[in-house]
Amino acid sequence: DTEVTQTPKHLVMGMTNKKSLKCEQHMGHRAMYWYKQKAKKPPELMFVYSYEKLSINESVPSRFSPECPNSSLLNLHLHALQPEDSALYLCASSQEVLLQGANTEAFFGQGTRLTVV
Amino acid sequence: AQSVAQPEDQVNVAEGNPLTVKCTYSVSGNPYLFWYVQYPNRGLQFLLKYITGDNLVKGSYGFEAEFNKSQTSFHLKKPSALVSDSALYFCAVRDILRVDSSYKLIFGSGTRLLVRP
């Protein structure tokens, strides 16, 4: 199983709503990521979790709140978003890289297309 | 800082002809390089990677990439293009490994490949 599953596939929310994006993987990966991708642009890293702990926060506004309940799940809680937050949100995971020379690639989910109205 | 550059916004090629999508990199230390493909409204699919070893790397769907250290390039190639190869292609480099074994993927700006029938 080399799959990262994201739900929902599409989400439309108002600026006062609270919603959550979900991501799940069963590959035993201990690093999980949230990326944001605007149309025709490369993905931009938002957060990295390593061993269920937040490792990297790329100065993301607090209206985005990540959560890693266990090693297989990653959530992104959304509150009071702005229309400019509309984008494709991608989750990814990768193996831990503890040894020099160990190689790993990140596996991406299909994304959640978020529209803020 | 690690970075990759994709000098072409779009590459056009006729079906059956060879294709090349260009990528150059700038890294400190040994480069960990990746190619991903993205179809419309989908997530990123891993194609291939270079970590160490042979300079010619073979990947999924008949793609290969050539690592050239002297030219700091990692161009993606395919001997015979298919219309179904039309998609957005991203070159990426792994950023410096952190002590907790997490890392960032730094993406190039992307190249749109259009294969004409």
Side-chain angles (χ1 to χ4, degrees):
Chain A
D1 181 6
T2 58
E3 222 175 72
V4 176
T5 303
Q6 289 187 243
T7 54
K9 288 187 168 51
H10 301 275
L11 178 63
V12 179
M13 60 184 291
M15 289 188 284
T16 59
N17 291 159
K18 285 185 181 181
K19 296 287 184 184
S20 296
L21 308 185
K22 296 186 183 302
C23 175
E24 189 169 2
Q25 57 87 15
H26 296 288
M27 295 178 277
H29 291 172
R30 301 311 296 272
M32 296 186 75
Y33 312 77
W34 281 115
Y35 284 83
K36 173 182 177 181
Q37 186 181 24
K38 302 286 271 185
K40 300 181 182 179
K41 297 290 186 183
E44 296 177 350
L45 183 68
M46 300 174 72
F47 302 103
V48 181
Y49 271 81
S50 179
Y51 293 88
E52 294 100 72
K53 287 184 170 46
L54 185 63
S55 172
I56 300 175
N57 177 342
E58 291 288 274
S59 302
V60 179
S62 60
R63 57 185 184 268
F64 295 91
S65 175
E67 179 197 19
C68 191
N70 60 55
S71 60
S72 299
L73 295 174
L74 185 66
N75 298 323
L76 186 62
H77 303 298
L78 314 173
H79 174 53
L81 294 194
Q82 304 297 311
E84 59 264 29
D85 296 322
S86 298
L88 182 66
Y89 288 83
L90 294 164
C91 175
S93 70
S94 65
Q95 291 178 327
E96 65 272 28
V97 182
L98 298 176
L99 299 176
Q100 186 177 7
N103 57 75
T104 180
E105 59 268 21
F107 292 87
F108 284 79
Q110 297 298 294
T112 294
R113 174 74 59 190
L114 174 68
T115 303
V116 182
V117 298
Chain B
Q2 321 287 63
S3 67
V4 288
Q6 294 180 244
E8 303 156 316
D9 289 335
Q10 182 160 317
V11 170
N12 298 309
V13 65
E15 188 173 31
N17 283 0
L19 69 88
T20 299
V21 183
K22 296 180 180 178
C23 173
T24 58
Y25 66 88
S26 173
V27 303
S28 53
N30 294 324
Y32 286 62
L33 297 162
F34 305 84
W35 275 102
Y36 285 86
V37 60
Q38 186 174 32
Y39 296 97
N41 299 311
R42 304 294 294 276
L44 276 69
Q45 294 181 29
F46 168 75
L47 278 179
L48 50 79
K49 63 186 175 189
Y50 174 83
I51 306 298
T52 186
D54 290 340
N55 289 343
L56 186 63
V57 179
K58 293 191 183 299
S60 306
Y61 313 120
F63 283 93
E64 57 190 28
E66 186 171 8
F67 173 74
N68 188 317
K69 189 172 183 178
S70 62
Q71 296 186 6
T72 61
S73 66
F74 188 55
H75 300 332
L76 181 70
K77 301 182 179 187
K78 188 173 182 182
S80 179
L82 299 172
V83 172
S84 57
D85 293 329
S86 299
L88 187 57
Y89 289 80
F90 290 103
C91 181
V93 63
R94 195 185 80 178
D95 202 356
I96 302 296
L97 190 63
R98 295 162 62 94
V99 292
D100 63 2
S101 82
S102 65
Y103 64 87
K104 295 165 59 172
L105 265 181
I106 310 295
F107 287 91
S109 54
T111 298
R112 185 163 303 281
L113 174 66
L114 183 60
V115 181
R116 305 184 306 273

